[in-house]
Amino acid sequence: MLPDGDERELESSEEGGAAGEERRPERHGSTYHSLYGYCRPCGRGAAPGDGSAAETPAGDDFSLSLLDTNLPVEAETELRSFLAKRLTKGALFEGMGNVVSVGLSIPEYKVGCYYCRFQQENILEMATLESDAGAPEYVVCFLGGSEKGLELFRLELDKYIQSLKINLDLEQKTLETSVKPHLSSWFENAVCPIQRVVQLFQEKLAFLLHAALSYIPVEVKNADERTEKDISRFLAAASLQGLVQEGTMTSLCIAMTEEQHKSIIIDCAGPQPQLHNAGSNRFCEDWMHAFVNGAEGGNPFLFRQILENFKLKAIQDVNNLKRFIRQAEMNHYALFKCYMFLKNCGSGDILLKIVKVEHAEMPEARNVVTVLEEFMRETSVA
């Protein structure tokens, strides 16, 4: 059960099919990948790869060649046909991933498909000096789960492509030792980090959620590389980055660092992480239970949806408090409403710090925030 009635919000955010369509738990099943060489030659020719170029029908000024896949032959042919249609329509922009649902001859039949066209880093640098006509490009596809599930991870997959661009080299040895493992581990590396963090921290996840909202520096000790990256990605995904003004976020980071004087320490030496200098509140405790309860199904897409709803509720509370503060500048009763809201929302400590930073240059609003701080301080002492 999601806190504060947000279970209903999660359901509505997962809708998107036909009206009245029965909602089922997201199942990611098997995952697949395909990498193609893609060439838009001045004169038609084979695309880069192993020589097994599969050219599109006559009249299409490009060719595709398969470099690596774990799809069955029939499903790969269907996927290539789908890509050819997209390429013909000019629907693939370099470096920008798209997510759609495709029907293929695999057990899942219909799966989410992330696809992206890109060039190698060195090719991109050369393209600024000379024409890139005929320069080799690539199209990568990641398939698994549903369209709605993969769409939640589109930004992570875009970043994953950036690392692929750096590693990609057509030499067969590099393809076998670097590129293929990178392709086959896309789901584990791009989609599963949030799930792994929830399973690792369990009830202590509340401290991590609080740290993410508060922008308090976090230091991870005695962790393997994957765990350290997972924690870092979780903190970034759980923060309000992109939802509050960039200047506010920077100022909040500085303010929290100065106030805290020391980072939160996460020690991963034992079977479960130990946290030092960490804090929490009722809001984060409630949402921690939503994550822990969701762990029973083992569904990485559900965890990301819960995380997005967590952030949405937090930003709604920030906006509500800002509206109350504007009203309180002219109305003493509205000041009391501000106080009651902060007292009951479960996250008053964080919200007050966010609005304090945002209203630092507004004298009347700053005075309201100062009074609210005094009220909250007196309440906590009492």
Side-chain angles (χ1 to χ4, degrees):
M1 188 97 179
L2 294 180
D4 299 327
D6 282 326
E7 185 176 27
R8 183 174 63 254
E9 194 173 303
L10 173 60
E11 289 179 351
S12 65
S13 66
E14 288 184 340
E15 291 173 0
E21 180 183 21
E22 181 185 354
R23 282 189 299 273
R24 296 179 176 85
E26 172 82 46
R27 297 178 182 273
H28 63 78
S30 301
T31 61
Y32 307 91
H33 67 269
S34 278
L35 176 66
Y36 300 93
Y38 163 58
C39 196
R40 294 173 289 122
C42 298
R44 292 175 63 80
D50 57 5
S52 59
E55 297 195 350
T56 52
D60 293 333
D61 191 26
F62 61 82
S63 57
L64 285 170
S65 63
L66 179 63
L67 299 178
D68 187 51
T69 190
N70 65 342
L71 278 168
V73 175
E74 186 178 354
E76 188 280 315
T77 303
E78 294 164 346
L79 177 62
R80 197 185 308 207
S81 176
F82 161 78
L83 290 173
K85 291 175 184 176
R86 293 278 165 152
L87 290 165
T88 303
K89 294 176 182 177
L92 274 78
F93 299 100
E94 204 281 327
M96 293 176 59
N98 297 273
V99 177
V100 295
S101 184
V102 294
L104 301 175
S105 299
I106 52 177
E108 294 83 357
Y109 174 63
K110 208 160 203 180
V111 292
C113 173
Y114 167 93
Y115 60 97
C116 183
R117 177 171 67 85
F118 66 96
Q119 291 180 308
Q120 286 175 253
E121 285 294 326
N122 60 338
I123 295 292
L124 285 172
E125 292 169 7
M126 291 168 57
T128 60
L129 304 174
E130 58 186 60
S131 170
D132 65 342
E137 298 182 68
Y138 305 90
V139 178
V140 68
C141 297
F142 297 135
L143 303 101
S146 72
E147 178 182 351
K148 289 173 286 185
L150 275 192
E151 182 62 42
L152 292 168
F153 290 92
R154 189 171 55 81
L155 294 179
E156 281 86 350
L157 292 169
D158 283 347
K159 289 179 183 176
Y160 200 67
I161 296 301
Q162 293 301 315
S163 57
L164 180 62
K165 286 164 69 171
I166 296 169
N167 291 327
L168 188 59
D169 191 314
L170 284 179
E171 291 181 13
Q172 192 62 28
K173 183 164 46 170
T174 308
L175 190 66
E176 289 291 337
T177 59
S178 180
V179 177
K180 286 188 177 184
H182 195 84
L183 291 169
S184 60
S185 60
W186 71 270
F187 192 82
E188 284 294 312
N189 290 334
V191 174
C192 291
I194 293 173
Q195 180 184 34
R196 288 196 293 266
V197 168
V198 172
Q199 292 170 339
L200 178 64
F201 280 80
Q202 297 292 317
E203 286 78 9
K204 293 180 181 179
L205 191 73
F207 297 110
L208 215 55
L209 292 170
H210 189 269
L213 288 184
S214 305
Y215 298 96
I216 298 172
V218 173
E219 185 179 343
V220 181
K221 293 184 174 181
N222 302 314
D224 58 71
E225 184 180 359
R226 188 176 81 164
T227 300
E228 191 167 350
K229 284 183 178 178
D230 284 352
I231 294 171
S232 177
R233 288 172 180 171
F234 184 92
L235 289 168
S239 76
L240 299 183
Q241 186 171 7
L243 298 176
V244 298
Q245 297 175 6
E246 192 67 32
T248 297
M249 208 170 61
T250 303
S251 299
L252 190 61
C253 288
I254 295 170
M256 293 305 295
T257 303
E258 290 174 350
E259 182 179 319
Q260 201 71 9
H261 296 302
K262 42 190 169 182
S263 304
I264 293 173
I265 306 296
I266 300 176
D267 189 347
C268 297
Q272 194 178 23
Q274 300 299 313
L275 291 92
H276 308 281
N277 310 323
S280 185
N281 57 31
R282 193 174 74 250
F283 180 82
C284 294
E285 292 282 342
D286 289 343
W287 280 96
M288 173 273 293
H289 289 298
F291 280 101
V292 172
N293 291 340
E296 296 173 5
N299 178 0
F301 298 110
L302 176 62
F303 289 123
R304 184 51 185 262
Q305 185 64 71
I306 296 173
L307 192 60
E308 291 303 310
N309 287 344
F310 162 79
K311 292 162 60 176
L312 178 62
K313 185 67 172 75
I315 204 66
Q316 285 174 344
D317 286 349
V318 170
N319 290 335
N320 283 334
L321 179 58
K322 286 159 71 174
R323 189 176 71 253
F324 290 145
I325 288 174
R326 285 196 299 271
Q327 295 169 358
E329 292 174 16
M330 302 169 287
N331 185 318
H332 285 297
Y333 176 69
L335 179 61
F336 179 71
K337 281 174 64 178
C338 278
Y339 167 67
M340 292 305 296
F341 176 77
L342 284 170
K343 188 177 177 183
N344 295 325
C345 70
S347 194
D349 57 331
I350 294 173
L351 299 184
L352 201 53
K353 284 165 184 169
I354 292 174
V355 296
K356 182 179 181 179
V357 168
E358 285 202 358
H359 294 90
E361 304 300 322
M362 305 174 190
E364 292 182 356
R366 191 174 65 235
N367 291 337
V368 172
V369 172
T370 300
V371 173
L372 289 171
E373 281 184 312
E374 291 174 3
F375 282 166
M376 295 297 285
R377 200 157 37 237
E378 289 171 5
T379 304
S380 63
V381 170

